[in-house]
């Protein structure tokens, strides 16, 4: 990865601005595709690889502006000083199938009634079938003062953006004494465990550096629980209590004043929108998130702004030739790469059924996973379904901190991601789960 200079990653979304460059003659205004995929993240890339093998060259196109693809789950370990940012990155061209058209541009308009998507340079692309895989936008701008603090204050950091993730470990190393605050916003977010994983790594580092007694470590979360699945929440409370960390529930970051090192939180259960102000020595801020603006203004979304799909088949509830996958959809499960891994297999089945003139009958169960790193060498491997019930792969208690699960998180999953998930040959761990349980699915 030495050829991938980090200077290429600068910018809010780490994109180059050759917005209209394509790797094939895909900008022909009269061009149409059997399948058009909007978004070249995890879901879009895996779907492109799966369906291009079926539909053949010239029939599939992917609209994706960025020339760098990131394995974002590694960002926690980058921020914790364990991994390097370039270990998570690959050129977009290298992960997309060679026989599909890559349109390096932005989608600026969806017209599902006429089966067209318009790109930033004005090109209208027609499709027979559409997959929307646009992920979530990081809205740092929705918290007054946060963007300025991230630019100006070395003690304010965020693992969620490649632009800021390298600030995190520097902030941990430079910590002297006072409050180390970790936030969780009042919106759905990708990887809901990440806001606290970096807290555990920070606490461990400060303890080993002899600074722990000078630090008041707190997680200020908008949620009413530490984690959405009780089995893992119970285990995490024990970790928090045994290591002297504090969790403040139902508090949402609404402003940062970096000149005075103050973070202002709204008390969400307060009738009068009361606030509380904390001084910080370190602030790890998780931004509010939402689907991209182009989706919010489209007819594809539901009342909450997410692509309105059937949670089992991933088919749009109104437009039968439209499908969605991943974080931008209304699928009621945690937004993780592990969820997308399982969704890709069901999406492929649904699209093939519709193309054959049949009703899709896929039954995605909501499987998702969140490896909750609690220290170097320790990880709770949370796996669960639509009903927030554990759906564990291994025949042992995964709510226990284990070195084996940490090894999978730190070393194994990156390889699975680039070697199997993105190429479209990994359907998630359901087969392994069944095998380890002698044919039983749970």
């Amino acid at each position: 990865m030495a050829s991938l200079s980090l200077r290429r990653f600068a910018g809010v979304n780490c994109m180059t601005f050759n917005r209209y460059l394509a790797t094939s003659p895909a900008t022909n205004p009269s061009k149409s595709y059997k399948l058009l995929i909007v978004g070249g993240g995890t879901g879009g890339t895996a779907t492109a690889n799966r369906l291009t093998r079926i539909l053949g060259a010239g029939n599939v196109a992917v609209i994706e502006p960025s020339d760098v693809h990131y394995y974002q789950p590694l960002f926690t370990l980058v921020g914790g000083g364990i991994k390097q940012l370039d270990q998570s990155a690959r050129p977009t061209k290298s992960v997309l199938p060679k026989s599909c058209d890559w349109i390096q541009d932005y989608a600026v308009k969806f017209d599902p009634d006429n089966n067209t998507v318009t790109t930033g340079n004005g090109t209208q692309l027609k499709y027979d079938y559409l997959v929307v895989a646009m992920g979530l936008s990081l809205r740092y701008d929705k918290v007054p003062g946060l963007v300025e603090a991230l630019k100006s204050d070395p003690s304010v950091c965020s693992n969620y953006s490649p632009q800021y993730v390298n600030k995190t470990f520097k902030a941990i190393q430079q910590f002297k004494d006072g409050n180390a605050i970790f936030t969780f916003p009042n919106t759905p977010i990708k990887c809901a465990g990440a806001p606290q994983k970096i807290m555990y790594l920070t606490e461990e580092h400060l303890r080993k550096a002899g600074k722990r007694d000078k630090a008041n470590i707190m997680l200020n979360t908008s949620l009413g629980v530490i984690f959405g699945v009780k089995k893992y929440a119970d285990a995490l409370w024990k970790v928090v209590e045994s290591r002297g960390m504090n969790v403040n529930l139902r508090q949402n970051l609404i402003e940062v004043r970096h000149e005075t090192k103050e973070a202002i939180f709204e008390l969400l259960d307060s009738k009068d929108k009361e606030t509380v102000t904390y001084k910080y020595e370190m602030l790890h801020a998780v931004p509010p998130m939402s689907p991209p603006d182009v989706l919010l203004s489209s007819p594809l979304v539901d009342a909450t702004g997410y692509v309105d799909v059937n949670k089992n088949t991933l088919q749009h509830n109104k437009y039968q030739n439209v499908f969605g996958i991943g974080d931008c959809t209304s699928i009621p499960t945690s937004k993780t790469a592990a969820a997308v891994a399982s969704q890709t297999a069901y999406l492929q089945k649904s699209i093939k059924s519709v193309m054959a003139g049949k009703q899709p009958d896929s039954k995605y169960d909501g499987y998702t996973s969140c490896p909750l790193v609690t220290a170097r060498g320790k990880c709770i491997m949370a796996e669960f379904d639509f009903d927030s019930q554990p759906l564990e792969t291994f025949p042992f208690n995964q709510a226990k901190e284990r070195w084996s699960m940490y090894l999978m998180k730190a070393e194994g999953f990156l390889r699975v991601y680039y070697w199997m998930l993105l190429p479209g040959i990994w359907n998630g761990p359901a087969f392994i789960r069944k095998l380890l349980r002698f044919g039983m699915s749970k």
Side-chain angles (χ1 to χ4, degrees), residues 59-293:
N59 290 311
V60 179
V62 177
I63 301 174
E64 169 55 48
S66 177
D67 67 349
V68 178
H69 183 105
Y70 288 100
Y71 174 60
Q72 296 181 42
L74 202 68
F75 286 5
T76 287
L77 301 184
V78 175
I82 299 169
K83 296 290 185 179
Q84 300 297 314
L85 179 58
D86 63 359
Q87 291 178 275
S88 72
R90 301 288 188 277
T92 297
K93 185 176 181 179
S94 73
V95 298
L96 290 174
K98 292 181 174 59
S99 52
C100 89
D101 286 352
W102 172 28
I103 301 166
Q104 193 173 3
D105 201 350
Y106 297 86
V108 298
K109 182 180 179 182
F110 289 91
D111 185 0
D113 293 308
N114 293 297
N115 296 335
T116 63
V117 175
T118 304
T119 64
N121 68 353
T123 301
Q124 285 192 345
L125 299 169
K126 293 191 67 68
Y127 59 82
D128 294 335
Y129 301 92
L130 175 70
V131 172
V132 183
M134 298 187 72
L136 293 179
S137 294
L138 306 177
R139 300 307 305 268
Y140 291 99
D141 59 302
K142 293 295 185 180
V143 179
L146 179 54
V147 173
E148 294 80 1
L150 285 164
K151 291 178 179 177
S152 305
D153 188 343
S155 61
V156 178
C157 53
S158 179
N159 281 352
Y160 272 85
S161 169
Q163 183 180 13
Y164 303 125
V165 66
N166 280 328
K167 290 189 67 182
T168 302
F169 191 56
K170 294 178 182 178
I172 295 171
Q173 291 175 305
Q174 293 169 5
F175 184 93
K176 294 179 181 177
D177 63 81
N179 292 329
I181 304 175
F182 302 82
T183 76
F184 190 115
N186 195 26
T187 67
I189 65 170
K190 48 188 174 181
C191 193
Q196 60 185 290
K197 287 186 270 190
I198 189 59
M199 176 180 72
Y200 301 129
L201 291 174
T202 300
E203 191 277 339
E204 180 189 37
H205 179 88
L206 295 179
R207 181 161 28 91
K208 291 181 177 180
K211 300 179 182 179
R212 181 63 183 89
D213 60 341
K214 300 178 181 179
N216 177 32
I217 296 176
M218 65 178 78
L219 173 67
N220 289 4
T221 172
S222 66
L223 302 178
V225 293
I226 192 172
F227 195 75
V229 181
K230 185 178 185 304
K231 176 178 181 177
Y232 307 117
D234 290 345
L236 292 169
W237 277 119
K238 291 178 181 178
V239 173
V240 165
E241 291 166 0
S242 69
R243 291 162 61 176
M245 293 176 278
N246 301 300
V247 177
N248 299 314
L249 303 176
R250 303 292 292 154
Q251 295 193 13
N252 179 46
L253 180 68
I254 59 171
E255 186 179 355
V256 178
R257 300 170 184 166
H258 74 272
E259 298 91 345
T260 55
K261 287 192 172 295
E262 292 178 314
I264 295 87
F265 291 82
E266 180 183 358
L267 303 179
L268 295 174
D269 290 333
S270 166
K271 294 181 180 179
D272 300 319
K273 295 186 177 181
E274 295 177 29
T275 63
V276 59
T277 299
Y278 299 93
K279 288 278 190 177
Y280 64 81
E281 171 68 10
M282 173 184 172
L283 174 65
H284 179 271
V286 178
M289 301 181 199
S290 73
D293 288 343

Side-chain angles (χ1 to χ4, degrees), residues 370-388:
C370 183
L372 294 155
V373 176
T374 55
R376 290 181 183 239
K378 293 183 180 181
C379 179
I380 292 170
M381 187 64 71
E383 294 181 288
F384 47 98
D385 60 16
F386 275 136
D387 300 319
S388 296

Side-chain angles (χ1 to χ4, degrees), residues 33-49:
Y33 293 94
K34 186 77 172 177
L35 175 67
L36 181 63
I37 301 168
V38 183
T42 305
T45 298
T47 300
N49 278 291

